[in-house]
Amino acid sequence: METYAKALVYAIPFFTGLVLLEVLYGHFVKDQKHNVMDTVSSLSSGLTNIIKDSLGLVLVLVSYPVLLGVFSIFELKATWPVWILAFLAIDFAGYWNHRLNHHVNIFWNQHVIHHSSEEFNLACALRQSISNLVGYFALLLLPAAILGVPNEVIAILAPIHLFAQFWYHTQHIGKMGWLEYIIVTPSQHRVHHAINSEYIDKNLGQILCVWDRIFGTFQEELPTVPPRYGVLKPANTWNPILINFQHVWRLCKDAWRTTSWYDKLRIWFMPTGWRPQDVVKKYPVHGIDNVYHFKKYRPEASFALKVYAVFQLLFNTFLMLYMFYNYSEIGLAGLLQFGAFVFVGIYGYTTLMDKKGYAVGIEVFRGILGIALILGTGDWFGINGLWSFGSILVSCYFMITILGGIYFTMKEDKESPDTTINRIP
């Protein structure tokens, strides 16, 4: 986990820089209006995901080394053919994991966050799950384990395979000629993120598109069908933590409300969106009926609130980078506390972006708790060891969050009239 955390110290600024470049290109070259709040929400989702992953907050059903030790028939060395074989195995497993996420109710919950943005850009690529609390991916790598692909090869290729899925989340690259027959391209992935009926659950490949072509899930981007993005049951919130658990909460309510014990059990493993008939009639859930005529979630926000949201994102990113940089020095207990402060911070300011009245309580409580911790220990998780003024800086930040929470709760409108269409009851 420490190695992963150290790698993120370099990866996070790199990906954030690419997001900024795309925003600037879209604004100055393409004359596009940018949705600041959506980008803040997307990047904040990325923060929650990497904190959760770096702290190892997941129950692993079985690890790849265990599978390798039990099932391997051969003992392969890390030669170039083996590296290629391992890449194909990871990509094949990724295709089926992705397909599982799209087609089974309970698994959709851990993937819906990635599709929740109603924009399509590099920022939305960073909308990654914190609800995938059970690790089972190694099971899909059983063929590689049987063949004896070394664990170190899988361990190196897996994060590279994940990071390589970032670049194609953009609208600024058109079709790419012969590459469209080999790799997943921006055009193909626009189809995947679209909610048009022609595009739903298509193009599930992650690096290679050959799996989609083999298993019948490929769909070309059609010039007559412009993609519309998001999910058919819109999130209607900027809070990525809430988005992560919206679908499973609906499943829980349906399982509780149905009178059929059979339905209470099978709802979790039925096709995505399936609901018991008695619940459908009594508790209808309304989504998007016409993908070409629906209002995106965009509550009115002042320029000051947008600046505050960006400030919160940047400072929480700074806090997180400090945490990763000092991963071993902070220690496990300190890391859990530190991660909790960032998680609650993200919950607070994204709730404030939603203009929910209770956001002020979260912001004030977290700010007071943070200042109290600094006063009590005389430091902020050892930051004074790097900068003598470090704890003063963090104290000032917490004071700003307290004042910001109070100010924006008092000054901003509580509800925006353009968010009332196609909302989920």
Side-chain angles (χ1 to χ4, degrees), residues 277-417:
Q277 283 302 308
D278 58 339
V279 176
V280 170
K281 294 175 182 177
K282 193 172 182 180
Y283 303 98
V285 175
H286 304 291
I288 295 174
D289 298 318
N290 188 328
V291 299
Y292 299 105
H293 296 90
F294 74 97
K295 289 286 186 179
K296 292 182 179 181
Y297 181 72
R298 191 174 293 189
E300 293 295 332
S302 66
F303 178 75
L305 180 57
K306 293 176 181 178
V307 170
Y308 180 76
V310 172
F311 163 75
Q312 281 279 26
L313 170 67
L314 292 176
F315 204 94
N316 277 276
T317 302
F318 160 74
L319 289 175
M320 192 186 61
L321 288 173
Y322 169 74
M323 185 182 84
F324 291 153
Y325 186 76
N326 296 275
Y327 193 90
S328 58
E329 290 82 359
I330 293 175
L332 178 59
L335 289 169
L336 292 174
Q337 293 178 45
F338 203 126
F341 266 102
V342 178
F343 258 89
V344 175
I346 291 170
Y347 193 102
Y349 71 74
T350 54
T351 301
L352 196 64
M353 289 159 56
D354 283 333
K355 300 184 181 178
K356 303 296 184 183
Y358 66 90
V360 63
I362 301 171
E363 293 283 75
V364 171
F365 173 77
R366 172 176 174 265
I368 292 175
L369 198 63
I371 293 173
L373 179 63
I374 293 172
L375 291 176
T377 63
D379 202 352
W380 174 260
F381 297 96
I383 198 171
N384 287 343
L386 290 178
W387 303 291
S388 57
F389 59 89
S391 59
I392 297 175
L393 176 66
V394 178
S395 296
C396 291
Y397 161 72
F398 282 125
M399 185 59 67
I400 292 172
T401 65
I402 293 171
L403 298 176
I406 295 171
Y407 174 81
F408 288 112
T409 300
M410 293 175 59
K411 294 296 184 180
E412 295 285 326
D413 293 333
K414 295 296 191 300
E415 190 72 31
S416 173

